[in-house]
Amino acid sequence: MEEIKLEKRRAERNAQIRALFPDVHGDDSVFAGGREAALSALARIDPPQYDRSRNFLDGKVTRLSPYFRHGMITLHEAASLAVQKSGARAYKLVFEFAWRDFWRRVWAKRGDAIERDLEVPKVPVGNAPLPDDILNGTTRLACMDQFVRDLRDVGYVHNHARMWFASYVIHHRKIDWKLAADWYYGELLDGDRASNHLSWQWVGSTFSSKPYIFNRENLERYTLGSLCATCEMRSRCPFDMSYESLELKLFSNHGVGA
Amino acid sequence: MKVLLIHDEMLNSTLPVFAQAASAPRIFVFDPAFIQREGWTMKRLQFIADGVAEIADVKVFKGELASVLKMIGATSIITQATPNTPIRDWLERAGVPVEWVDEPVFAEFSGRLTRFTPYWKAIESQWFPK
Ligand SMILES: Cc1cc2nc3c(=O)[nH]c(=O)nc-3n(C[C@H](O)[C@H](O)[C@H](O)COP(=O)(O)OP(=O)(O)OC[C@H]3O[C@@H](n4cnc5c(N)ncnc54)[C@H](O)[C@@H]3O)c2cc1C
């Protein structure tokens, strides 16, 4: 056991933390933590633009989640500022803040039960182990591999990308959502058991009335085609079909993972 | 001696618990066993350290929580309440009484928690009065 005098400058502190925890993996953080960094990120929010663009990977999302997760700012102060800045046009942003509060309340009520199926799944799901191509981002699907790189290199992934990725893992690959969620939790800077594990359950349908699935048209639209353009699997894309065909492929009793 | 135990969800000295525990010495503990259970990466530890470094007058330790408390002579803990079960278990197993101070609320809600939409409908007017 030792007392630590944290270095004042960030670069030196990063090296200090690395030396203190030689067994902990991963690159240095590109996100600066702390109240000051949180307040500057908060000052940059643009609620009306958020409303229009949040589903796009290059949209004006806030990237506030790591700060909320560590209490560096509170949902209440962020929502107050959003409403003060944009009035009724802050509706969508405050609505999204409320998701975090909702998941947290479910955690308070259900405790560790959130780490197991909260409801019966509404479609067949699997319990396959987490394979290396998912962990390493080597599926050869440009989209999914990029989402794993975001996760591992930055520790931040856009909400839409998290949804697509979780849907691919659970419904196409039939992987046990809990194994995936535990791994994902550790890699995220904003890793939070409520928002993470309950979102995985929402995608899987053990805490929602239906599973979340997407097709190529949807992904291409919100990524502006940037990932599909370079994908070596673009002519064999497992998402390139109508929602009806996807449901048949993924959820018919004879359905086999892609 | 009662200490303000700063956990990883309260890295901000403007939170009410800091005022409530104004006279208590502040500590933050990097407990390797806790970190391993959480599966955190280097980025996460550095991000957390950024937050701790900005808080005034905090003593930072690396070690097992119970031993740190014993070494500094802490006989009770005051901290921010949380539904975070790993944090709760970690503190409650450290062998000293824990006083939990409420975290700031986003909205008042006392209804039945079912799905998000009914929850949002119940609290919406607190942010957007009709
Ligand atoms: C599979 C999966 C795992 C997730 N894991 C986490 C997690 O571990 N920690 C975490 O904080 N969020 C998690 N989310 C929710 C959401 O993806 C992130 O909060 C969001 O992407 C963070 O980026 P942002 O701050 O730029 O979000 P913005 O779009 O700018 O939203 C602003 C804030 O609203 C809240 N918010 C927005 N959408 C959601 C949502 N769906 N659920 C909960 N809160 C939301 C967040 O606090 C976020 O910071 C997960 C979602 C999915 C689908």
Side-chain angles (χ1 to χ4, degrees):
Chain A
M1 190 192 56
E2 56 185 305
E3 187 175 346
I4 304 165
K5 294 265 171 262
L6 284 178
E7 296 288 348
K8 290 221 160 31
R9 289 157 48 110
R10 190 152 182 272
E12 283 150 23
R13 194 166 56 242
N14 281 351
Q16 177 186 27
I17 297 293
R18 189 172 284 284
L20 278 166
F21 298 96
D23 298 336
V24 173
H25 75 278
D27 298 337
D28 281 357
S29 176
V30 293
F31 265 79
R35 170 99 179 140
E36 272 180 36
L39 290 176
S40 358
L42 186 57
R44 289 193 296 269
I45 62 170
D46 181 344
Q49 191 58 22
Y50 177 83
D51 186 1
R52 282 191 290 275
S53 67
R54 64 178 284 274
N55 281 322
F56 289 87
L57 278 205
D58 68 347
K60 181 89 179 110
V61 293
T62 65
R63 297 166 80 94
L64 287 175
S65 52
Y67 303 109
F68 286 134
R69 164 60 183 82
H70 298 94
M72 293 162 182
I73 44 166
T74 67
L75 282 180
H76 191 279
E77 70 180 320
S80 304
L81 182 87
V83 170
Q84 189 193 325
K85 233 180 178 174
S86 308
R89 293 193 306 160
Y91 187 90
K92 189 63 186 169
L93 181 56
V94 177
F95 174 91
E96 294 300 328
F97 289 164
W99 270 103
R100 177 174 166 80
D101 187 57
F102 175 70
W103 294 136
R104 195 161 174 82
R105 286 172 186 275
V106 174
W107 199 11
K109 183 170 160 208
R110 309 294 295 265
D112 284 339
I114 67 163
E115 309 224 7
R116 302 182 290 276
D117 286 3
L118 281 175
E119 298 167 11
V120 284
K122 317 305 180 291
V123 291
V125 288
N127 57 4
L130 255 181
D132 285 347
D133 69 329
I134 295 283
L135 292 168
N136 299 328
T138 52
T139 64
R140 296 163 65 214
L141 295 166
C143 51
M144 298 304 152
D145 293 347
Q146 181 59 48
F147 304 153
V148 173
R149 274 196 298 278
D150 291 344
L151 178 70
R152 296 182 47 157
D153 297 351
V154 188
Y156 171 86
V157 185
H158 185 284
N159 178 59
H160 220 160
R162 297 187 203 207
M163 290 164 61
W164 291 322
F165 180 72
S167 179
Y168 170 65
V169 167
I170 297 177
H171 298 306
H172 290 254
R173 302 292 297 269
K174 305 291 180 195
I175 291 165
D176 183 334
W177 72 261
K178 164 75 166 113
L179 294 178
D182 284 348
W183 161 68
Y184 211 68
Y185 169 83
E187 295 289 329
L188 284 168
L189 270 187
D190 63 25
D192 174 88
R193 281 203 162 65
S195 288
N196 182 61
H197 285 63
L198 290 168
S199 292
W200 280 89
Q201 298 221 43
W202 181 86
V203 169
S205 80
T206 52
F207 195 41
S208 56
S209 52
K210 58 178 190 336
Y212 170 76
I213 56 170
F214 67 95
N215 66 12
R216 175 169 172 170
E217 190 188 341
N218 173 273
L219 189 142
E220 231 174 339
R221 172 162 183 229
Y222 291 107
T223 54
L224 305 176
S226 59
L227 296 168
C228 302
T230 58
C231 183
E232 61 176 291
M233 298 285 279
R234 64 185 175 278
S235 57
R236 282 171 291 152
C237 172
F239 317 123
D240 197 5
M241 53 183 87
S242 68
Y243 281 103
E244 292 71 26
S245 309
L246 261 176
E247 276 179 24
L248 262 180
K249 173 180 140 179
L250 299 175
F251 306 133
S252 68
N253 283 334
H254 310 291
V256 192
Chain B
M1 176 187 56
K2 181 192 278 188
V3 293
L4 172 64
L5 185 294
I6 301 171
H7 60 62
D8 58 78
E9 288 187 350
M10 50 181 284
L11 302 178
N12 163 8
S13 59
T14 70
L15 291 167
V17 62
F18 282 81
Q20 202 153 324
S23 57
R26 302 168 172 183
I27 64 164
F28 182 90
V29 181
F30 285 105
D31 182 330
F34 179 77
I35 291 168
Q36 197 188 2
R37 281 199 296 279
E38 287 289 276
W40 289 342
T41 58
M42 182 50 59
K43 299 178 199 33
R44 179 94 178 235
L45 293 183
Q46 292 170 336
F47 186 85
I48 288 173
D50 291 344
V52 178
E54 273 184 8
I55 300 175
D57 302 325
V58 54
K59 276 189 186 293
V60 183
F61 299 91
K62 177 186 171 194
E64 196 231 340
L65 179 59
S67 323
V68 172
L69 295 175
K70 204 163 161 204
M71 186 193 76
I72 62 175
T75 48
S76 70
I77 287 173
I78 179 165
T79 193
Q80 181 170 281
T82 172
N84 186 319
T85 39
I87 291 180
R88 297 180 62 87
D89 291 348
W90 180 55
L91 297 192
E92 275 160 7
R93 281 190 204 133
V96 299
V98 185
E99 182 184 339
W100 300 98
V101 176
D102 286 347
E103 58 179 340
V105 292
F106 168 70
E108 297 297 338
F109 177 77
S110 54
R112 238 167 61 81
L113 265 186
T114 50
R115 294 281 193 244
F116 175 78
T117 306
Y119 153 81
W120 172 249
K121 287 286 152 215
I123 65 136
E124 180 185 3
S125 64
Q126 293 173 40
W127 287 104
F128 301 98
K130 295 261 152 52

